[in-house]
Amino acid sequence: MNRTPPAKVLLVDDKPYDGDLAALVLQHHLPHAELIIVEDAIEFAEHLALGGFNLVITERHLKWAEGNRVLESIKRLYPECPVIFFSAEKAPPGSNEKNTKQPDAQIKKSSAGFLHLPVTVNQLLQPREPSADENNAAGPLMDRLPVGIFSLNQEGELNCLNRACNKIFRLDSNDKEPPLLQNLLADDAAREKINHVLQQGEAVNDLDVQLCFGDDTPYWVRLDLWPNEKAVDDGTHHFEGSVSDISSFKDAVSSLSRNAAELSRSNADLEKFAYVTSHDLQEPLSYISRYANLLHERSDLDDDSERFMEHIIDSSQRLQSMVDDILEYSRVGTQDNDFELVNFGDLADTAARNMEKAFQEKHASYKRGELPVLRADSRQIKQLFQNLFSNALKFHGDRPPRILVTAKEKPEHWEFAVQDNGIGLEKKDRKRIFDMFQRLHTSEEYPGTGIGLAVCRSIVERHGGTIRVKSIPGKGSIFAFTIRHKPPSREA
């Protein structure tokens, strides 16, 4: 008896993680299929020339080609080979025109899409349409899926195709009258959305809705609907869809939101406490320092007394520096200004001028490229540059410090870089240097409080960005931070 050779499926995707995940899902549900991941144009050309594949799954947009070009190449040589567009991107305008080749199926690359993919692949690999009896008995594959699979007509009549669907919608598979999807939804907005989709024949992805079952328990599901590609004689729209129970996810999100709000209030209280405490410490600390200096100037002190007074003065100075830095750190969250258009180049230059004496003492040089104009808190951005410049001057090593400031525009933000030629740092220390009171060296080697870079991180995060460091020990460091094109909606 001749065995049917295993189906060969090409996965054309230059995002390796997506390709690996799709292959893993397909391998689980289609264990006998041969899955080949194609990541570049050369591999695709080789498989196109060799042929022998039964189905192709491709991204809509690849680095080396558009999905439509992949579709046209396959259909030209192998017109009977099914092609699935599996992409997070929407179809571009005009892609559904009659003179444009269409894929056999289109699935959005989402959590539900990955689970719907093996069902679609299995359907397209079938040599013939299954009968109604086979559909009822064929469930082994779909009944193993954790998501519900169903079909809809234009009126919204719901036909569950697996057990998970019946379980999620709480339906009895023996019911003769199919329910309307709209009647299972809890709110009017969701019902209007579904009615619109059914009438227009549109796809809907990741629609979170609440179901109503006559009790007060919230029951959230996520719906995905795809228009059926097959033509219908009467011109009405038919759909395939999937449904996932996301009640536990919604509960977790709600709990996380509450915890985040509580944490935000707690952090605000801590910032206010730090500000008030450090502010109130200024006066008694100045008295200690002042009277210690007066005693130190007296000529009748013996050697031990003079040494003790020097220790008191040195400690009070270090404590004053720490109080000043804590006060500056707390001001980031408690005494911020509104965001306005500011020239980052001017702010960097001002920060360098404010440190002119330190630059001269270290024989340091400062250069910058063209920096943008963005909405930001000018005082905090100037402080950010000063702290990074101070860090470069302090940890300069044997060579005169060299500081270079540049910026590159990215799709959603600008990325700034402050580069120095200092002593650098080890990879293991790259994250912790942005924490409060973190020091890599003793105060005798390099004076400081370990707060300056924590202030930098707080300023950048307030502007909706991130900060990191790249460094080679003995060669220098590059402190890179991002500032968004549009400031955060909550300027606080």
Side-chain angles (χ1 to χ4, degrees), residues 354-413:
N354 290 346
M355 303 176 67
E356 186 175 0
K357 183 178 179 181
F359 271 83
Q360 291 176 350
E361 290 175 352
K362 303 288 186 179
H363 304 288
S365 67
Y366 157 75
K367 292 182 181 180
R368 70 167 175 86
E370 194 70 26
L371 303 186
V373 174
L374 298 171
R375 299 190 72 85
D377 184 328
S378 59
R379 184 187 69 81
Q380 290 186 352
I381 296 299
K382 183 171 64 177
Q383 183 66 48
L384 171 64
F385 280 123
Q386 284 186 191
N387 286 11
L388 293 176
F389 294 167
S390 175
N391 194 77
L393 295 178
K394 183 188 299 182
F395 302 102
H396 65 85
D398 298 329
R399 297 171 295 176
R402 299 286 180 265
I403 299 174
L404 173 65
V405 183
T406 57
K408 289 182 180 179
E409 187 174 12
K410 299 295 180 69
E412 296 183 354
H413 61 256

Side-chain angles (χ1 to χ4, degrees), residues 108-113 204-209 221-225:
K108 183 178 180 183
K109 192 182 286 183
S110 63
S111 55
V204 61
N205 295 295
D206 297 336
L207 177 64
D208 294 353
V209 296
V221 298
R222 178 164 293 170
L223 291 173
D224 290 85
L225 292 176

Side-chain angles (χ1 to χ4, degrees), residues 68-81:
N68 285 332
R69 295 291 299 276
V70 174
L71 172 66
E72 290 171 3
S73 299
I74 294 165
K75 291 295 186 181
R76 185 173 61 251
L77 295 176
Y78 313 102
E80 299 302 320
C81 179

Side-chain angles (χ1 to χ4, degrees), residues 208-220:
D208 294 353
V209 296
Q210 201 168 0
L211 302 183
C212 58
F213 295 117
D215 55 28
D216 296 330
T217 306
Y219 194 78
W220 284 94

Side-chain angles (χ1 to χ4, degrees), residues 244-489:
S244 308
D245 180 359
I246 59 169
S247 294
S248 58
F249 169 74
K250 285 289 186 179
D251 291 341
V253 169
S254 178
S255 176
L256 187 63
S257 298
R258 290 193 298 269
N259 291 340
E262 184 61 34
L263 182 61
S264 178
R265 286 193 295 270
S266 177
N267 284 340
D269 291 342
L270 285 173
E271 287 176 350
K272 291 176 183 177
F273 173 77
Y275 176 77
V276 171
T277 302
S278 55
H279 183 272
D280 290 349
L281 282 174
Q282 296 276 18
E283 185 176 2
L285 185 57
S286 66
Y287 277 115
I288 293 172
S289 179
R290 189 182 310 163
Y291 285 116
N293 278 297
L294 288 174
L295 287 172
H296 187 249
E297 291 171 1
R298 291 179 55 168
S299 58
D300 58 347
L301 296 177
D302 57 31
D303 291 343
D304 286 341
S305 299
E306 187 168 347
R307 189 172 69 255
F308 294 155
M309 293 309 302
E310 288 175 353
H311 284 311
I312 293 174
I313 293 171
D314 180 63
S315 297
S316 65
Q317 288 174 343
R318 285 192 284 117
L319 182 57
Q320 181 67 57
S321 296
M322 186 171 291
V323 169
D324 290 342
D325 284 348
I326 293 175
L327 191 59
E328 183 60 41
Y329 180 82
S330 65
R331 279 174 178 160
V332 175
T334 57
Q335 292 192 359
D336 44 18
N337 300 319
D338 290 338
F339 286 8
E340 58 185 0
L341 285 175
V342 294
N343 188 312
F344 275 63
D346 291 346
L347 293 177
D349 293 343
T350 301
R353 283 196 299 271
N354 290 346
M355 303 176 67
E356 186 175 0
K357 183 178 179 181
F359 271 83
Q360 291 176 350
E361 290 175 352
K362 303 288 186 179
H363 304 288
S365 67
Y366 157 75
K367 292 182 181 180
R368 70 167 175 86
E370 194 70 26
L371 303 186
V373 174
L374 298 171
R375 299 190 72 85
D377 184 328
S378 59
R379 184 187 69 81
Q380 290 186 352
I381 296 299
K382 183 171 64 177
Q383 183 66 48
L384 171 64
F385 280 123
Q386 284 186 191
N387 286 11
L388 293 176
F389 294 167
S390 175
N391 194 77
L393 295 178
K394 183 188 299 182
F395 302 102
H396 65 85
D398 298 329
R399 297 171 295 176
R402 299 286 180 265
I403 299 174
L404 173 65
V405 183
T406 57
K408 289 182 180 179
E409 187 174 12
K410 299 295 180 69
E412 296 183 354
H413 61 256
W414 278 84
E415 182 171 278
F416 296 81
V418 177
Q419 182 175 353
D420 64 55
N421 63 338
I423 61 173
L425 61 139
E426 298 290 342
K427 186 176 181 179
K428 62 182 177 64
D429 298 320
R430 291 181 187 177
K431 288 186 178 180
R432 73 184 187 96
I433 59 170
F434 295 105
D435 294 335
M436 286 280 284
F437 305 118
Q438 290 296 319
R439 294 176 50 82
L440 306 183
H441 308 275
T442 65
S443 57
E444 288 74 19
E445 293 176 301
Y446 296 98
T449 59
I451 298 177
L453 291 178
V455 172
C456 291
R457 185 180 69 176
S458 186
I459 291 172
V460 170
E461 288 178 349
R462 191 208 162 207
H463 286 75
T466 59
I467 186 169
R468 68 185 192 280
V469 62
K470 300 177 183 177
S471 185
I472 300 176
K475 298 291 185 180
S477 301
I478 300 176
F479 285 86
F481 63 90
T482 61
I483 300 292
R484 288 160 52 175
H485 290 302
K486 294 182 179 180
S489 57

Side-chain angles (χ1 to χ4, degrees), residues 39-58:
E39 295 183 0
D40 58 49
I42 295 176
E43 284 184 285
F44 177 68
E46 289 175 351
H47 288 289
L48 193 64
L50 291 171
F53 44 83
N54 306 97
L55 183 140
V56 177
I57 302 168
T58 180

Side-chain angles (χ1 to χ4, degrees), residues 233-252:
D233 293 337
D234 59 4
T236 59
H237 303 295
H238 286 245
F239 299 83
E240 295 171 342
S242 67
V243 59
S244 308
D245 180 359
I246 59 169
S247 294
S248 58
F249 169 74
K250 285 289 186 179
D251 291 341

Side-chain angles (χ1 to χ4, degrees), residues 6-7 23-35 141 144:
L24 187 65
V25 172
L26 289 171
Q27 195 69 64
H28 178 72
H29 294 290
L30 304 168
H32 300 298
E34 181 183 354
L35 304 172
L141 172 64
R144 289 198 298 269

